[in-house]
Amino acid sequence: MLRINDTAPDFTAETTEGVIQFHDWIGGGYAVLFSHPKDFTPVCTTELGVMAGMMDEFAKRNAKIIGISVDPVSNHQKWKSDIEAVSGNSVSYPLIGDSELKVAKLYDMLPATVAGSSEGRTPADNATVRSVFIIGPDKKIKLTLTYPMTTGRNFNELLRALDSIQLTANHAVATPANWNQGEDVIITPAVTNEAAKEKFGEFETVLPYLRKTRQPG
């Protein structure tokens, strides 16, 4: 079972943008891998279009987008025209072909014991292939989310989470519930009051273990 801070499994795969080696493709930035149970499914069609329209926002955060669907690349290429027709956005990020279910199994979205290929499988058969992974420059998993097929993903939440992940990776802070970019943050317990004063200046002690300060940077 994959957990936060595990190394994201590496793989070689054919995509709509050519063959990639996943870790090499990530390079020195972040990656958002989001999966789909089948091509030509309604909720996923809307999701892929929204992500295509948000590429610039992820790029500002040094994050690449890559999708995966349990179908061959030839199907993905046909699906892209439907996605653009629905959303108005052209899908230029890679979509991984996973007709042999290798990546879905590697990322624990399908049991390793599942036999066969994507041929003949329905979206319901692949219902658990609805996960998002944010992966850092160190190739470690920073976040995982899994959604049911009937619930479209909120990609603004992924941006918010990515902002928090990157902020807290560089400063000794954490972000509170419902935090958004520019709002106050929490000073981590490992930082003493003396060090907090030196590092952050003024801060508010809400509780002995909960101290808030302005977002650094």
Side-chain angles (χ1 to χ4, degrees):
M1 182 177 179
L2 291 175
R3 297 178 175 86
I4 288 174
N5 291 328
D6 285 350
T7 298
D10 197 14
F11 58 85
T12 302
E14 184 183 358
T15 79
T16 51
E17 303 298 316
V19 175
I20 65 160
Q21 185 79 33
F22 188 49
H23 282 192
D24 289 346
W25 178 84
I26 293 173
Y30 286 79
V32 180
L33 170 66
F34 68 113
S35 64
H36 306 276
K38 200 77 179 166
D39 292 0
F40 306 104
T41 50
V43 173
C44 296
T45 299
T46 66
E47 291 176 332
L48 288 160
V50 167
M51 277 299 256
M54 296 175 72
M55 282 188 69
D56 288 348
E57 287 300 320
F58 283 95
K60 287 176 188 175
R61 295 158 172 84
N62 194 25
K64 294 179 177 179
I65 299 167
I66 189 164
I68 175 173
S69 183
V70 182
D71 268 323
V73 167
S74 57
N75 283 18
H76 298 351
Q77 298 288 14
K78 296 172 185 175
W79 191 20
K80 285 165 68 173
S81 61
D82 285 355
I83 296 163
E84 184 170 3
V86 167
S87 68
N89 300 318
S90 175
V91 176
S92 58
Y93 55 83
L95 293 176
I96 297 165
D98 195 30
S99 57
E100 296 181 6
L101 315 179
K102 290 181 178 178
V103 179
K105 293 177 185 179
L106 191 63
Y107 275 75
D108 201 35
M109 294 182 286
L110 286 175
T113 53
V114 169
S117 68
S118 63
E119 187 68 29
R121 292 180 65 85
T122 68
D125 294 329
N126 306 327
T128 51
V129 189
R130 286 276 298 160
S131 294
V132 180
F133 300 87
I134 293 181
I135 299 160
D138 57 359
K139 313 305 182 285
K140 303 285 188 184
I141 294 171
K142 307 300 181 183
L143 172 145
T144 64
L145 293 168
T146 301
Y147 288 73
M149 288 197 302
T150 51
T151 301
R153 284 170 270 204
N154 185 334
F155 294 108
N156 288 320
E157 166 59 13
L158 287 185
L159 284 176
R160 189 194 76 88
L162 183 58
D163 284 340
S164 173
I165 289 164
Q166 293 182 341
L167 175 69
T168 58
N170 294 315
H171 301 277
V173 297
T175 55
N178 295 332
W179 174 87
N180 284 293
Q181 186 73 262
E183 295 178 351
D184 287 354
V185 297
I186 294 169
I187 301 169
T188 56
V191 180
T192 66
N193 284 338
E194 293 74 19
K197 182 74 174 176
E198 183 177 343
K199 184 181 288 286
F200 302 111
E202 295 299 321
F203 63 88
E204 176 190 1
T205 301
V206 182
L207 293 166
Y209 56 86
L210 175 55
R211 298 163 297 167
K212 299 181 78 173
T213 189
R214 291 187 299 275
Q215 177 180 323

